[in-house]
């Protein structure tokens, strides 16, 4: 099929992997990728439907790209992902500009859908969200060539009361370890130096198929892949971070000492209303265990302010917890009331201005913590990966402390030229509130 395709990916890195699978399918069937909808015959929008702001972004993207049906050569517009899975019937009525909708488990049928559209068929496809995973799905990376995400499971069984994901992505389904390792080796052979392990909850990996938490085993297996430099894992839940996992990180030289742990809150009553399987004390003990074995470990978390019923006292406890723990990386979301979730019908809904005020208060505190932590790094040496040259002999880079697109960057002043994806050593010379400024050791 001699057509051009533009793919827009919204939302999380798990969505990005799905887009990479779709792109590979289309390229293998003769379509050509373009970087603008203005140049495309076909546009695919992989949407997010997690919270209200994400839904609004998805709708705006659909409407914006749909314009190219009038002002460009765009012939077909296809919408995939979580928003399609959640609202396909409503969207069909509200967005006649869209030619086809695919759900979270039907995106691999993208080429068949396009073939049908070429024949004039209206063939949206929403499959069972618990559809079995394919053992392997080839991808064409949309990340930089040296970095790739590696999805190890689909779905979620945690049933947090604020979260719609189980209704969009289904129950937790782990991929087989040998399939994951095979894919990782293929990525490494293609030039990928950094693998980032993702799932809705990476720490539950293997429980459904091996009857035991298998992330530590997976990390140790991946650590043996010669061509890899860095391995990271995100979305690890505190109730499942145990000594075995911590030691797997400590003993595996390629696994970054970086724990992404979305705790959402620290007050026991709020955690209970959220249906989180932990307590503030357990979270604190888990962090202490990590630091006891890996003092240099980076701790990242996300929080929710204004969850239904959150009192001033409960918020103050969260504020004090953040002040005490001093996370290296922290993000805050004002609670988003999502229809279809238990939290949406809870009593004690918090006013929007209070949610935002509490969010801003914690972010202000975190800025102070981050600046202080950055200043403590001055004079220390780090291995970094060069990402791009922004002007002659000045580069953007990241250390093991920095996840791409999420955390800060390091500016490297170099006396010699460097290539994207190259690893080198720097000494931190200055600190800024969000980024670090490095000067390369020659």
């Amino acid at each position: 099929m001699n057509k051009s395709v533009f793919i827009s990916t919204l939302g999380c890195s798990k969505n990005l992997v799905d887009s990479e699978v779709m792109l590979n399918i289309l390229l293998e069937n003769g379509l050509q990728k373009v970087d603008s909808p203005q140049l495309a015959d076909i546009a695919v929008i992989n949407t997010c439907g997690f919270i209200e702001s994400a839904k609004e972004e998805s709708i705006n993207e659909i409407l914006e790209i749909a314009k190219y049906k009038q002002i460009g050569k765009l012939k077909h517009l296809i919408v995939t992902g979580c928003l399609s899975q959640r609202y396909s019937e409503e969207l069909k009525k509200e967005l006649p500009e869209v030619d086809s909708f695919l759900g979270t488990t039907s995106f691999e049928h993208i080429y068949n859908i396009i073939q049908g559209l070429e024949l004039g068929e209206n063939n949206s496809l929403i499959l069972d969200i618990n559809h079995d995973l394919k053992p392997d799905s080839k991808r064409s990376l949309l990340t930089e060539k040296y970095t790739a995400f590696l999805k190890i499971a689909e779905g979620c069984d945690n049933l947090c009361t604020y979260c719609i994901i189980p209704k969009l992505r289904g129950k937790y389904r782990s991929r087989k370890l040998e399939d994951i390792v095979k894919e990782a080796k293929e990525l490494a052979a293609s030039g990928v130096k950094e693998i980032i392990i993702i799932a809705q909850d990476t720490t539950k990996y293997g429980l459904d198929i091996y009857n035991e938490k298998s992330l530590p085993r997976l990390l140790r297996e991946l650590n043996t892949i010669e061509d890899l430099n860095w391995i990271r894992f995100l979305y690890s839940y505190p109730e499942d971070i145990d000594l075995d996992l911590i030691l797997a990180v400590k003993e595996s030289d390629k696994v970054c000492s970086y724990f992404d742990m979305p705790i959402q809150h620290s007050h026991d009553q709020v955690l209970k209303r959220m249906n989180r399987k932990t307590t503030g004390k357990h979270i604190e003990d888990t962090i202490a265990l990590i630091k006891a074995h890996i003092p240099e470990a980076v701790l990242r978390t996300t929080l929710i302010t204004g969850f239904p019923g959150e009192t001033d006292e409960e918020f103050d406890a969260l504020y004090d917890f953040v002040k005490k723990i001093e996370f290296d990386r922290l993000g805050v979301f004002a609670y988003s009331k999502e229809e279809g979730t238990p939290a949406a019908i809870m009593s004690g809904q918090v006013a929007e201005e209070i949610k935002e005020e509490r969010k801003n208060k914690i972010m202000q505190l975190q800025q102070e913590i981050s600046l202080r932590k950055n200043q403590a790094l001055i004079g220390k040496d780090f291995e970094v990966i060069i990402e791009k040259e922004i002007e002659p002999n000045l580069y953007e880079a990241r250390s093991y402390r920095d996840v791409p697109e999420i955390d800060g960057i390091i500016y490297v002043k170099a006396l010699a030229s460097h290539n994207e994806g190259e690893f080198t050593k720097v000494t931190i010379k200055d600190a800024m509130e969000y980024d670090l400024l490095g000067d390369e050791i020659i």
Side-chain angles (χ1 to χ4, degrees):
M1 183 181 289
N2 187 23
K3 300 283 185 179
S4 57
V5 62
F6 169 77
I7 296 183
S8 172
T9 305
L10 305 173
C12 66
S13 55
K14 296 174 283 294
N15 248 18
L16 182 66
V17 171
D18 295 344
S19 289
E20 292 173 339
V21 172
M22 286 191 286
L23 177 59
N24 187 76
I25 292 169
L26 298 178
L27 293 178
E28 285 189 339
N29 282 282
L31 281 84
Q32 297 178 327
K33 176 180 176 290
V34 292
D35 296 325
S36 167
Q38 190 171 3
L39 304 174
D41 299 300
I42 300 160
V44 180
I45 305 174
N46 196 358
T47 60
C48 178
F50 182 49
I51 58 176
E52 192 62 35
S53 59
K55 289 185 284 187
E56 290 176 4
E57 182 184 20
S58 294
I59 295 295
N60 290 337
E61 181 78 348
I62 293 168
L63 294 175
E64 183 64 29
I65 291 180
K67 293 177 183 177
Y68 291 98
K69 282 189 164 186
Q70 279 74 45
I71 63 175
K73 65 172 187 173
L74 189 66
K75 185 178 179 182
H76 300 307
L77 175 56
I78 302 169
V79 174
T80 71
C82 291
L83 196 73
S84 286
Q85 186 70 46
R86 190 174 182 183
Y87 297 114
S88 62
E89 293 305 315
E90 295 93 325
L91 293 174
K92 286 177 185 177
K93 299 173 185 176
E94 299 295 330
L95 296 170
E97 304 93 332
V98 178
D99 299 292
S100 189
F101 292 93
L102 280 76
T104 55
T105 57
S106 54
F107 61 88
E108 291 191 358
H109 296 272
I110 182 72
Y111 183 63
N112 293 335
I113 293 295
I114 291 173
Q115 285 183 307
L117 291 175
E118 288 289 302
L119 296 172
E121 299 173 2
N122 185 345
N123 53 354
S124 295
L125 184 62
I126 309 296
L127 297 176
D128 178 12
I129 54 174
N130 293 310
H131 190 65
D132 288 342
L133 302 178
K134 290 181 66 175
D136 59 347
S137 295
K138 293 182 180 179
R139 296 188 275 150
S140 293
L141 297 184
L142 291 165
T143 53
E144 301 296 338
K145 61 184 179 181
Y146 49 82
T147 296
F149 292 98
L150 184 58
K151 191 192 290 190
I152 63 172
E154 185 59 272
C156 188
D157 293 338
N158 288 332
L159 301 179
C160 300
T161 57
Y162 52 80
C163 184
I164 197 68
I165 291 299
K167 293 185 178 181
L168 303 181
R169 293 277 179 175
K171 64 184 181 181
Y172 197 92
R173 287 111 65 212
S174 299
R175 294 177 61 195
K176 290 182 179 178
L177 189 141
E178 57 265 31
D179 293 334
I180 298 170
V181 173
K182 178 176 179 286
E183 182 179 358
K185 288 179 177 178
E186 291 170 351
L187 289 168
S190 73
V192 169
K193 299 296 182 183
E194 176 187 34
I195 277 181
I196 306 171
I197 296 170
I198 55 172
Q200 292 302 140
D201 178 354
T202 55
T203 36
K204 294 286 194 311
Y205 172 70
L207 274 173
D208 56 322
I209 57 175
Y210 300 125
N211 296 316
E212 63 179 7
K213 290 181 287 185
S214 303
L215 181 59
R217 178 181 156 205
L218 176 61
L219 291 175
R220 292 184 173 104
E221 288 270 355
L222 296 176
N223 195 64
T224 66
I225 299 175
E226 186 175 345
D227 293 331
L228 290 179
N229 289 66
W230 284 348
I231 301 162
R232 304 177 182 275
F233 60 97
L234 304 181
Y235 312 109
S236 54
Y237 279 56
E239 60 266 29
D240 290 308
I241 296 176
D242 55 20
L243 184 58
D244 189 26
L245 177 58
I246 294 168
L247 292 179
V249 175
K250 180 179 181 180
E251 296 164 2
S252 302
D253 61 313
K254 297 179 181 182
V255 178
C256 297
S257 299
Y258 185 108
F259 289 81
D260 172 47
M261 188 168 51
I263 66 171
Q264 312 304 2
H265 216 281
S266 65
H267 193 282
D268 289 356
Q269 291 304 311
V270 180
L271 290 168
K272 187 175 181 180
R273 293 198 297 273
M274 290 179 168
N275 196 34
R276 297 299 297 257
K277 313 300 192 297
T278 188
T279 64
K281 175 69 164 53
H282 183 266
I283 295 169
E284 191 170 344
D285 289 346
T286 299
I287 291 169
L289 187 64
I290 292 170
K291 289 294 188 180
H293 289 275
I294 315 176
E296 73 280 10
V298 173
L299 297 174
R300 175 179 177 81
T301 197
T302 51
L303 306 173
I304 295 174
T305 57
F307 188 76
E310 185 186 57
T311 64
D312 289 341
E313 291 76 19
E314 289 168 345
F315 170 75
D316 290 343
L318 176 62
Y319 183 91
D320 292 341
F321 187 84
V322 172
K323 191 172 184 179
K324 177 180 180 180
I325 297 298
E326 295 195 333
F327 290 95
D328 299 276
R329 310 278 190 253
L330 182 145
V332 188
F333 297 90
Y335 167 70
S336 175
K337 183 179 178 181
E338 292 305 309
E339 59 179 324
T341 63
I345 56 174
M346 285 183 179
S347 60
Q349 298 288 329
V350 178
E352 292 297 327
E353 59 269 24
I354 296 177
K355 297 178 193 178
E356 291 294 331
E357 180 184 320
R358 291 173 178 175
K359 168 188 169 181
N360 294 337
K361 186 175 180 180
I362 289 185
M363 286 309 302
Q364 178 61 46
L365 171 62
Q366 184 60 32
Q367 287 180 14
E368 297 166 5
I369 293 170
S370 295
L371 179 59
R372 187 163 62 250
K373 282 181 168 284
N374 282 359
Q375 290 171 334
L377 298 176
I378 294 174
K380 294 186 177 181
D381 299 343
F382 288 95
E383 180 184 50
V384 300
I385 186 170
I386 299 293
E387 296 215 288
K388 65 179 177 180
E389 186 174 24
I390 52 178
E391 60 183 61
N393 296 327
L394 181 64
Y395 297 87
E396 288 184 1
R398 290 183 290 108
S399 74
Y400 81 93
R401 302 172 57 86
D402 310 302
V403 173
E405 306 296 332
I406 297 177
D407 298 323
I409 55 176
I410 298 173
Y411 294 109
V412 177
K413 295 177 182 176
L415 301 181
S417 62
H418 292 283
N419 298 318
E420 292 181 5
E422 180 182 337
F423 284 80
T424 188
K425 291 287 183 71
V426 301
T427 298
I428 305 301
K429 295 294 188 183
D430 191 15
M432 295 183 291
E433 195 158 338
Y434 301 104
D435 305 322
L436 307 177
L437 185 62
D439 192 6
E440 182 177 350
I441 302 171
I442 302 296

